[in-house]
């Protein structure tokens, strides 16, 4: 029976690694939450997520640096995003590498933009490693401690089922509000050009 749970645990780490390659932070938050209930090891989860994210971001930058001509035609739909990321990199410097770890929609565009620019790859890999370590630790620990509050919320909702529709509506409203604000921010950024 232990070998079955060990297999699921290894599968969890493998999925976390693959998910972190895409830059997603839901995986590390979930791994932190699973660590809180004893299903995964927190430090190993953080390490796996960091490795996946560093490898993928570095790969994007290096690959686009050396295959720029061949890959430019595939980025036609994302030309504006890459141009905006280049502007942000020039404006904010290395801080953009830190910031992009937490922003959905640009976390893969920034390494691609760096690969297509003349930004130093060595500097990017070093800063990306530091930013990813901070990202992994912050989100892993956040998921670990937030899971306790989430479990309390679930217990509360089980005891008082009439609260469930209110929570679902609140979550939907927050998601819609998030995407509305995000679209306004990108619209303002495009209009400033």
């Amino acid at each position: 029976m232990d070998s079955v749970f060990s297999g699921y645990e290894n599968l969890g780490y493998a999925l976390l690694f693959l998910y972190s390659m895409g830059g997603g932070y839901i995986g590390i938050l979930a791994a932190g939450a699973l660590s809180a209930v004893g299903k995964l090891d927190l430090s190993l989860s953080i390490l796996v997520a960091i490795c996946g994210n560093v490898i993928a971001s570095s790969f994007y930058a290096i690959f686009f640096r050396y295959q720029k001509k061949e890959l430019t035609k595939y980025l036609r739909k994302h030309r504006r995003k890459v141009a905006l990321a280049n502007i942000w990199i020039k404006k904010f410097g290395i801080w953009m590498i830190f910031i992009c770890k937490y922003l959905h929609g640009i976390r893969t565009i920034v390494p691609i933009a760096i690969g297509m620019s003349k930004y130093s790859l060595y500097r990017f890999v070093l800063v990306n490693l530091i930013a990813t370590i901070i990202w992994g630790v912050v989100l892993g620990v956040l998921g670990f401690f937030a899971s306790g509050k989430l479990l309390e919320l679930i217990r509360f909702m089980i005891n008082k089922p009439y609260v469930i529709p209110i929570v679902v509506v609140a979550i939907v409203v927050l998601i819609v509000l998030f995407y509305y604000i995000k679209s306004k921010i990108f619209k303002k950024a495009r209009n400033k050009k």
Side-chain angles (χ1 to χ4, degrees), residues 4-49:
V4 171
F5 287 116
S6 176
Y8 285 128
E9 186 176 304
N10 291 337
L11 179 63
Y13 292 125
L15 290 173
L16 176 61
F17 180 82
L18 292 173
Y19 191 80
S20 296
M21 289 182 84
Y25 45 85
I26 302 295
I28 186 64
L29 288 171
L34 288 170
S35 299
V37 295
K39 300 297 180 190
L40 295 176
D41 179 55
L42 180 62
S43 57
L44 184 57
S45 296
I46 291 171
L47 181 65
V48 166

Side-chain angles (χ1 to χ4, degrees), residues 182-192:
K182 181 181 156 187
S183 69
K184 290 293 182 183
I185 290 170
F186 278 114
K187 196 178 281 185
K188 279 185 182 179
R190 278 189 230 133
N191 291 338
K192 286 184 179 181

